[in-house]
Amino acid sequence: MYEEWETLKNDCLKCKKCRLCETRTNVVFGYGNPLAEVMFVGEGPGEQEDIQGKPFVGRSGKLLDKMLLEIGLSREENIYIANIVKCRPPKNRDPLPEEQEMCINWLRNQTALLRPKLIVAVGRIAAMKIIDDKIKITKDHGKFYKKGNILFMPTIHPAAILRNPKQKILVEEDFLNLKQKIEEICTLTYN
Ligand code: URA
C-alpha cells in the first residue's frame, strides 16, 4: 500500500501490467479533490480521456459534470473521479476481466488514500466490479450497499443516457438519493 498520492500516481503512470499499455496514449490516473468524501468510479477511459489523460472529459463526462452540478458536486471542489481500468481499451470495448483484475490495485490504493464515505459506481461494469457481480444496473441503480465503512451506490452510465435520453430521469433520481445521503453522512462536502 502507498502512503502518498504522488508516488502512487508516478508508479501508476508507468504501469505495464497488462496489454492495454501497448495502445494507450496516456494513463488516466484520476482527478479531483484528494480530500473528497465522495468518489465516482467509471469503467475506463475513452478516446478523449486517453488523449487528455483525465477521466470523463468526453461527451459522457460533460453530461456527468452537468448532472453533478445540479446536486452541488464538482470535480474541482468536492469529489474525486477514477476508473476501474486506467488505460483505454481499444475501440472502447469493455475492459476484459483480467485487465480489470490487473488494474484494480491502483483503485484500491486510491481508495485507501482518499478514505471516501461514499462511492458511486458509474455503469454496469464498475458496479459489478466494486459492489457485487450480481448487480443488475437496470434494477439496482440508486440503491445503497454498505461494505466495510463505505456506502456504495450504482448508477446508470451517462453514455447510456446519451444513447437513450429517456433514462436521464432515472439518473436524476439516483443523484437526488445521493445528495440526501451526502447530507446525512458527509460533513465537508456541502460545507
Ligand atoms: N467512461 C468511463 O467509464 N470513464 C471515463 O473516464 C470516460 C468515459
Side-chain angles (χ1 to χ4, degrees), residues 28 41-50 54-61 64 75 81-85 122-123 125-126 157-159:
V28 180
V41 177
E43 85 181 49
E47 184 182 23
Q48 277 307 313
E49 291 77 18
D50 177 60
K54 290 197 190 129
F56 282 103
V57 288
R59 277 183 75 213
S60 294
L64 181 65
R75 62 177 88 197
I81 307 185
N83 280 304
I84 302 284
V85 298
V122 182
I125 301 253
H157 199 288

Side-chain angles (χ1 to χ4, degrees), residues 37-38 116-118 178 180-191:
E37 296 167 306
V38 185
K117 296 208 163 95
L118 267 163
L178 175 67
Q180 201 170 35
K181 192 60 79 180
I182 292 171
E183 283 164 350
E184 262 172 54
I185 69 168
C186 296
T187 49
L188 309 171
T189 304
Y190 288 134
N191 293 309

